[in-house]
Amino acid sequence: MRAKDEKYYGFEGHVLVSFDGIICGYALAAANVDERDVLPGDGCRLHGLLIGDKGYIRPSLKQELAQQGIDLQTSLRKNMPDLRPRRWSAN
């Protein structure tokens, strides 16, 4: 059985941390809510670079955040080409 086939109950915590290690925002959501849907409504005044894991990959989210002045960068899935400048990738 895969994790996607499981039913989840309870809550998930979502935390935004600055480069200085300071918590600048948080949200609680039901465990069955997609983490990408929690991010835009977090109420923080974000701008600049936002780093997330592969779970945040969604082209429409990246575009929506770009319109707000946020550059969302994630690691890529194995089947995704890396079109970013070479300085972004860790060899």
Side-chain angles (χ1 to χ4, degrees), residues 28-87:
L28 287 176
N32 63 347
V33 173
D34 190 314
E35 62 189 356
R36 296 171 292 189
D37 295 331
V38 176
L39 182 62
D42 66 9
C44 285
R45 295 185 186 115
L46 298 175
H47 64 278
L49 180 62
L50 178 63
I51 300 172
D53 62 17
K54 294 176 190 177
Y56 284 96
I57 296 174
R58 182 192 288 164
S60 60
L61 175 61
K62 185 169 178 70
Q63 184 178 24
E64 178 184 336
L65 292 174
Q67 292 172 352
Q68 299 173 28
I70 301 169
D71 178 18
L72 175 63
Q73 293 294 323
T74 64
S75 54
L76 301 176
R77 296 187 179 110
K78 290 181 182 180
N79 64 346
M80 297 176 72
D82 194 352
L83 304 174
R84 298 175 289 196
R86 195 74 160 143
R87 62 190 163 108

Side-chain angles (χ1 to χ4, degrees), residues 2-24:
R2 299 179 334 193
K4 292 182 179 181
D5 299 328
E6 298 280 328
K7 290 190 180 197
Y8 295 94
Y9 301 96
F11 297 93
E12 288 182 332
H14 302 269
V15 180
L16 290 170
V17 181
S18 73
F19 282 115
D20 299 323
I22 298 170
I23 295 174
C24 61

